[in-house]
Amino acid sequence: MDEIVALSEQIKKAAVVERKMRYKNAAVFGGFSAFVISALDRLYTLADNNFSENDLSKILRVQKLMQEYAESGNARRDQIVTESVNLVEILVSSYRNRHDGRLVEPAKNPREDKHELQFLKSVGPKRVKLLNRLGIKTVDQLLYHFPRKYEDRSTLKKLQFLRDGEIETVMATVLAVENIRSRKGLAITKAAIHDGGSTGYAVWFNQPYIKKQILPGTEILVTGKVERKFGGIQINVADFEVLDKEDPIHTGRIVPVYPATEGLQTRTLRSIMKFAVDKYASGFLEFMPERIIQKYGFLNLPEALKKIHFPDEMREAEEARRRLVFEELFLLQLGVALLKESALNEQGIRHKKNGVLLEKFLRGLPFIMTGAQDRVLNEIFRDMENVKPMNRLVQGDVGSGKTVIAAAALVKTVENGCQGAMMAPTEILAGQHFEGLAELLQPLGIAVALLTGGISRNERTRIIEDIKNGRVDIVVGTHAVIQDEVEFQKLGLAITDEQHRFGVKQRAKLQGKGANPDVLVMTATPVPRTLALTVYGDLDISVVDELPPGRQAVKTYWITEKTKNRVYKIIREQVEQGRQAYYVCPLV
């Protein structure tokens, strides 16, 4: 029973990770859906198949939702996660009730009501649409819409000490107010204000409704640019607040400034946020382990959300930011770990030991592989011969010999009766890979095809048909390889070159063309180890850290428009010496 309950808790925690990452990580790999399906299978086994017909219908419903999950947009994924978690909770509670005589009501998350947003103070149907434009559809997402900067309006000065041309904040009482119109037709609201010692003027432009808000005798906080002229003091108001409440929002404090959108001013958004923070921040459940919070001295989640939006001093905002940045990385790593764990439970294609065809390929190479190439190739072969699907990143500089490593892996999968695919980000690179692989592999009787958007319709139709029927062993191409109409007879190895040029969803789609094929990702972009462990944490990493004999390291330089003539001079010199050069122009 304890393990059944633990499984339901794991599913709920996985859902928290998915929501926090806004479906940018595990979801695009299918990691969450794969994990839930695996957990359901385990739950079913632990219960000794002792579920009622009603329970079984819930299991089938969750499985169906998980199948829909990968192809859905974020809004639908949000609904799927909520419904799936609720069904699992009901399922476990029902089982518990039958066996223990106790029905435990699942704790309700105060943020689960997805209709709360439009009922927030100052929010109606129109503003809901504006918030949606910012990607905010729930209270949860609203409170994770952080300020882009802060303005310190906490230092109050007397009028006589205000500096000309500076942004200053004063607290004063309105003596009189009037609306006037300039010669150019500009509407001006001008208020005489008194701070107890001096008198000045606060000025608003094209906001005549202000007059009704600041009647004589009203105490206000005013922030704006100071102008001293004709012996008087005038403040061109950027923001103000009527002091009819204890906690000012827009001035007289550290003020948050939010990313906004047309029709939704940052002042309005600030008011909405203050209400949401006061009402909901305390209800956010802490999900990070207490030992981590204590070890690093983090604020708890409710406190961090309060301080990131409305800090009393900048130190508090920084403490909140530190906690929330760590949280984001923490959740990213959890998502990657969840993804990797789900991959460990999958059964892939177990390739046999190296055969005659692969040995013939390796012996026929017109060069000797470097030690680094041999090491990486052995790591790949070891993965491919395992029953678990390979997920490996190969990193190496331009010219380090990654392509021949990929070619050897492709030969191995073909020798095992499977097909291989290599996806490159551009038609030029795909064409280069095709020519290189065709030259190396066609003499071995391996059929290689090129599939890009630039080929004719008839040629495209023929190649797609050949791939489906297994007449093509290896297909090289661009995004055209992952189009829906491309079907493989048996995909054994999926290779993505220059991974940083693709989205993770595109890599996952290529992987999805087969039944858990081995996956090889290649990049020439140097990836620091810490970043690789974070971004590519679901992948094992191999580094080709040795160049072939005689191959010089590639040097990259950054130049400005003013120095391009020096580049032309270098190119001329190289051409005169019998060398070649090529010039790459960006598409945009």
Side-chain angles (χ1 to χ4, degrees):
M1 171 59 70
D2 289 342
E3 192 170 351
I4 289 177
V5 174
L7 275 171
S8 71
E9 290 300 317
Q10 288 174 16
I11 291 174
K12 284 192 283 187
K13 287 179 180 179
V16 170
V17 172
E18 283 291 87
R19 281 209 175 98
K20 291 290 183 184
M21 290 305 300
R22 297 193 181 182
Y23 313 99
K24 292 179 182 176
N25 188 50
V28 293
F29 287 108
F32 176 71
S33 54
F35 175 79
V36 172
I37 290 173
S38 175
L40 282 175
D41 289 341
R42 178 63 178 157
L43 190 149
Y44 189 79
T45 302
L46 288 169
D48 295 326
N49 303 341
N50 191 12
F51 280 114
S52 67
E53 188 173 336
N54 190 34
D55 291 338
L56 288 173
S57 69
K58 291 182 175 61
I59 291 177
L60 292 172
R61 172 60 180 164
V62 175
Q63 289 176 333
K64 185 176 180 181
L65 288 170
M66 290 302 104
Q67 291 169 356
E68 179 188 349
Y69 186 80
E71 300 300 323
S72 300
N74 282 359
R76 177 58 182 149
R77 281 182 183 152
D78 199 57
Q79 296 169 353
I80 290 173
V81 169
T82 299
E83 183 178 351
S84 299
V85 169
N86 288 341
L87 286 170
V88 170
E89 287 182 330
I90 294 170
L91 188 68
V92 173
S93 295
S94 174
Y95 181 83
R96 214 173 187 179
N97 189 42
R98 287 199 310 277
H99 289 76
D100 294 349
R102 293 171 303 177
L103 181 61
V104 180
E105 287 293 331
K108 183 168 178 60
N109 188 326
R111 295 173 284 153
E112 285 299 318
D113 185 356
K114 299 304 175 187
H115 302 291
E116 288 174 342
L117 193 60
Q118 65 179 322
F119 299 114
L120 290 175
K121 185 179 179 180
S122 302
V123 178
K126 290 183 179 179
R127 282 185 177 158
V128 165
K129 291 180 180 179
L130 294 173
L131 289 169
N132 290 169
R133 195 186 297 170
L134 291 169
I136 300 170
K137 296 184 179 180
T138 67
V139 172
D140 190 324
Q141 292 172 352
L142 177 66
L143 293 191
Y144 272 79
H145 185 73
F146 300 135
R148 60 181 174 85
K149 68 174 184 177
Y150 300 90
E151 292 181 358
D152 189 349
R153 302 176 184 175
S154 60
T155 304
L156 302 180
K157 289 186 177 181
K158 293 294 185 180
L159 287 166
Q160 61 178 320
F161 297 121
L162 300 185
R163 294 170 296 177
D164 187 34
E166 296 293 323
I167 304 294
E168 304 276 23
T169 299
V170 299
M171 182 169 64
T173 302
V174 177
L175 300 177
V177 59
E178 64 175 340
N179 282 335
I180 57 178
R181 191 166 293 278
S182 70
R183 293 178 181 177
K184 296 182 179 180
L186 188 66
I188 300 173
T189 301
K190 191 170 186 179
I193 57 175
H194 184 68
D195 66 0
S198 304
T199 301
Y201 295 93
V203 176
W204 292 259
F205 298 97
N206 285 328
Q207 299 174 69
Y209 57 87
I210 296 292
K211 182 179 178 181
K212 296 179 181 179
Q213 300 177 16
I214 53 169
L215 301 174
T218 304
E219 193 173 15
I220 60 174
L221 278 168
V222 175
T223 298
K225 188 173 182 179
V226 177
E227 286 187 3
R228 283 184 173 271
K229 53 186 179 181
F230 309 118
I233 299 171
Q234 177 174 300
I235 302 175
N236 297 323
V237 181
D239 221 330
F240 79 102
E241 190 147 10
V242 175
L243 293 177
D244 57 354
K245 49 190 172 183
E246 294 180 2
D247 188 12
I249 301 174
H250 307 292
T251 190
R253 61 172 303 137
I254 305 293
V255 176
V257 180
Y258 295 95
T261 186
E262 185 178 359
L264 184 65
Q265 296 179 348
T266 189
R267 179 186 175 92
T268 304
L269 185 53
R270 190 182 301 127
S271 297
I272 294 170
M273 194 70 74
K274 186 66 168 67
F275 179 82
V277 168
D278 290 346
K279 184 172 183 180
Y280 293 104
S282 297
F284 272 60
L285 303 177
E286 180 58 76
F287 61 89
M288 281 207 303
E290 183 63 28
R291 59 185 178 82
I292 290 181
I293 293 174
Q294 291 181 354
K295 179 179 179 180
Y296 295 105
F298 289 136
L299 298 174
N300 61 41
L301 181 55
E303 197 65 20
L305 288 173
K306 292 174 185 176
K307 297 301 185 186
I308 196 70
H309 290 289
F310 296 99
D312 291 327
E313 50 188 83
M314 286 307 300
R315 176 184 57 80
E316 293 181 346
E318 186 53 40
E319 286 180 0
R321 178 183 175 277
R322 178 171 166 267
R323 147 71 202 230
L324 293 164
V325 166
F326 182 91
E327 173 185 310
E328 186 171 347
L329 293 173
F330 179 75
L331 291 170
L332 174 64
Q333 288 300 86
L334 276 181
V336 169
L338 176 64
L339 177 61
K340 195 159 190 173
E341 182 181 343
S342 67
L344 291 174
N345 296 324
E346 294 176 350
Q347 297 290 311
I349 298 168
R350 187 168 196 165
H351 291 79
K352 297 176 183 177
K353 295 286 185 180
N354 296 349
V356 175
L357 188 65
L358 181 58
E359 293 299 331
K360 184 177 179 181
F361 167 76
L362 295 173
R363 285 198 309 270
L365 292 174
F367 53 81
I368 299 175
M369 281 195 170
T370 64
Q373 287 175 310
D374 280 333
R375 183 189 73 249
V376 171
L377 202 49
N378 286 330
E379 291 170 349
I380 292 171
F381 288 163
R382 186 168 61 246
D383 286 350
M384 295 180 72
E385 290 162 13
N386 195 310
V387 69
K388 304 299 181 186
M390 174 175 69
N391 282 283
R392 185 167 291 276
L393 168 69
V394 175
Q395 178 188 324
D397 290 338
V398 174
S400 62
K402 298 188 299 298
T403 303
V404 74
I405 291 173
L410 288 167
V411 172
K412 186 177 181 72
T413 201
V414 170
E415 190 168 22
N416 279 266
C418 301
Q419 294 168 293
M422 178 182 279
M423 185 167 65
T426 65
E427 291 199 11
I428 292 176
L429 187 56
Q432 290 175 341
H433 280 315
F434 169 72
E435 291 175 4
L437 290 173
E439 184 179 349
L440 288 170
L441 306 184
Q442 283 178 349
L444 300 175
I446 296 175
V448 185
L450 177 65
L451 184 62
T452 66
I455 63 176
S456 67
R457 180 178 297 180
N458 290 339
E459 181 74 1
R460 175 187 175 83
T461 301
R462 182 187 64 78
I463 292 174
I464 290 175
E465 190 65 26
D466 287 347
I467 295 170
K468 183 177 181 180
N469 294 327
R471 290 190 292 269
V472 166
D473 298 309
I474 296 170
V475 57
V476 182
T478 55
H479 298 76
V481 175
I482 58 175
Q483 298 304 307
D484 292 339
E485 61 266 29
V486 178
E487 296 180 28
F488 288 82
Q489 188 179 71
K490 186 180 181 182
L491 181 62
L493 176 62
I495 300 177
T496 307
D497 191 24
E498 295 299 331
Q499 164 60 34
H500 65 285
R501 297 282 298 277
F502 291 101
V504 285
K505 193 169 185 178
Q506 292 164 323
R507 167 159 59 106
K509 195 165 184 179
L510 176 60
Q511 185 179 356
K513 292 290 183 180
N516 293 330
D518 289 328
V519 173
L520 189 62
V521 175
M522 302 195 300
T523 181
T525 304
V527 182
R529 176 174 171 75
T530 50
L531 182 61
L533 290 173
T534 301
V535 179
Y536 299 115
D538 60 310
L539 303 174
D540 297 309
I541 300 173
S542 296
V543 180
V544 187
D545 52 7
E546 180 183 354
L547 291 174
R551 181 70 61 87
Q552 295 182 348
V554 175
K555 295 181 180 179
T556 304
Y557 300 93
W558 180 83
I559 66 164
T560 64
E561 182 73 16
K562 295 179 181 178
T563 56
K564 67 179 182 180
N565 288 329
R566 289 174 57 191
V567 176
Y568 296 152
K569 181 175 180 292
I570 293 171
I571 291 174
R572 280 194 295 269
E573 290 173 352
Q574 297 299 312
V575 172
E576 288 170 0
Q577 294 174 29
R579 298 191 177 97
Q580 293 174 304
Y582 65 91
Y583 204 110
V584 179
C585 299
L587 181 64
V588 180

